Amino acid sequence: MAELPGIRPLSDYALIIDARTPKEFAEDHLPGAVNLPVVTQEEFAEVGTLHRTDPHAAYLLGAQYALRNVARYIAEAIAPRAPSDRILIYCFRGGKRSRAWADPVRNIGYAVDLLPGGWKAYRAWVRQELARLPATLPWRVLSGSTATGKTRLLQALAREGEQVLDLEALAVHRGSLLGEWPAQTQPTQKRFDSALRHALARFDPRHPVWVEDESKRIGRLQLPTALFDAIRSAPVVRVEADLRTRVRLVPAGLRSLRRRPRGHG
C-alpha cells in the first residue's frame, strides 16, 4: 500500500497532531488526526488581520498565542503519552504552526516527525491516489432501479466477508431519488476524497470489490473520474424486485410524503 512520502506509515504514530484551526480541520484532515490548533479560529483571524498592516506585531502576537496554547495541550495531550511514542505533526504547508508544536515536544524527548508540505501535500497525494487506485481493483457492480435492495445486498456481502465499497455511506446520501440521510449533512468534498482513498487502499486487488452503480455525483459530492470510469467499465450484476417489494423498501418517511394530499405544504 502506498504511503505518504517523507514520513513513516501513519500506523507508526501514537499521535497525529493537526495544528491548523478547527475550521481547516473540519474541512479535511489526515486519518486518525486530532485537532490541537496552535491558534484558535479567532486568534488566527486576529493575527492575519494585523499582519496586513504590521507583520512584526502580528508575529509577536501569534507567538504569544501559540506558546500559551501549546503549553496547555502539552499538559492535556502529551503528558499522558509514553516517552517512546512517536508523534506526527502537520499544519497547512508544514511551516510555522508545525514548528511551534514540534520544538517544545522534541525538547521534552519525544520523537517527532513533520509532514513535508503539510496538509497541502497530503491533499495532492490523495488526489494522485484516487487517480491511481481504482484501476488496480477488480470491480463488480450492482445495478438496478431505486428500492430494489442494492444497498441491503451490499451489506449482506460485507457480512459474508466480501470486499464492499459503500459509496452512499461515505457520502452520507441515499442517491438521487431518496436524497440526504435524516438529520445528517454530507462531508466536504475533500473529506469525502480522504475517506474514499482510505477505503480503496485497504482493498486486496486479488479479490473482487463490490460497489453499487452510481452517477457521477452523489448529492453534492463528485466521484473521482478514475473511479467513475472503472465502475462504468466493470462487470454488472442486475438486481431486480417486484413493485410491492420496492414500495416496502422505500423509507417510511418518503412514502408518507408521497401520500400527502396536494395543498398540504
Side-chain angles (χ1 to χ4, degrees):
M1 180 175 66
E3 299 288 350
L4 266 165
I7 59 171
R8 295 168 177 248
L10 294 182
S11 58
D12 286 359
Y13 297 101
L15 178 64
I16 302 175
I17 296 175
D18 186 315
R20 301 173 303 154
T21 64
K23 182 178 179 180
E24 292 171 297
F25 181 82
E27 184 178 27
D28 182 41
H29 53 265
L30 270 67
V34 295
N35 188 211
L36 301 175
V38 168
V39 291
T40 67
Q41 202 71 48
E42 295 75 17
E43 292 165 350
F44 185 76
E46 182 183 359
V47 171
T49 300
L50 181 59
H51 189 271
R52 298 190 190 102
T53 56
D54 192 339
H56 180 69
Y59 289 135
L60 288 173
L61 181 61
Q64 294 175 63
Y65 286 147
L67 290 170
R68 184 168 61 212
N69 291 331
V70 169
R72 185 176 78 254
Y73 295 140
I74 286 175
E76 297 172 357
I78 304 300
R81 296 287 168 181
S84 59
D85 283 350
R86 179 172 287 272
I87 299 171
L88 174 66
I89 300 173
Y90 70 94
C91 58
F92 185 70
R93 290 190 179 89
K96 290 184 175 63
R97 287 184 284 178
S98 292
R99 293 194 297 271
W101 245 119
D103 290 344
V105 176
R106 281 175 175 154
N107 289 338
I108 297 170
Y110 287 94
V112 175
D113 292 338
L114 300 182
L115 176 60
W119 173 85
K120 191 172 183 181
Y122 165 73
R123 171 64 180 164
W125 176 75
V126 166
R127 297 182 68 175
Q128 292 170 3
E129 287 290 279
L130 290 177
R132 179 186 71 85
L133 285 169
T136 68
L137 299 169
W139 297 97
R140 300 293 184 273
V141 181
L142 298 181
S143 180
S145 302
T146 299
T148 52
K150 298 187 297 296
T151 298
R152 293 191 180 197
L153 181 53
L154 277 182
Q155 293 167 350
L157 287 167
R159 288 194 296 269
E160 293 298 317
E162 295 290 326
Q163 297 189 126
V164 167
L165 179 63
D166 192 339
L167 289 170
E168 292 182 356
L170 291 177
V172 192
H173 199 277
R174 295 176 297 188
S176 57
L177 178 62
L178 301 180
E180 295 183 358
W181 291 2
Q184 296 189 56
T185 58
Q186 289 192 272
T188 65
Q189 181 69 52
K190 294 181 178 66
R191 285 198 70 176
F192 174 70
D193 289 347
S194 285
L196 184 55
R197 187 224 65 88
H198 185 65
L200 294 177
R202 299 178 67 175
F203 292 137
D204 185 341
R206 296 172 298 178
H207 302 289
V209 180
W210 293 89
V211 66
E212 186 175 340
D213 191 15
E214 298 287 354
S215 62
K216 181 71 171 177
R217 300 186 70 87
I218 306 178
R220 57 182 174 80
L221 300 176
Q222 184 164 307
L223 295 184
T225 298
L227 177 59
F228 182 73
D229 291 344
I231 292 174
R232 279 286 177 266
S233 61
V236 174
V237 176
R238 181 76 182 177
V239 181
E240 297 182 351
D242 58 41
L243 183 58
R244 179 171 296 182
T245 300
R246 292 178 63 193
V247 170
R248 181 170 54 83
L249 291 177
V250 171
L254 186 59
R255 291 200 302 269
S256 65
L257 285 175
R258 290 181 171 180
R259 288 196 301 264
R260 185 177 300 171
R262 291 185 180 179
H264 290 69

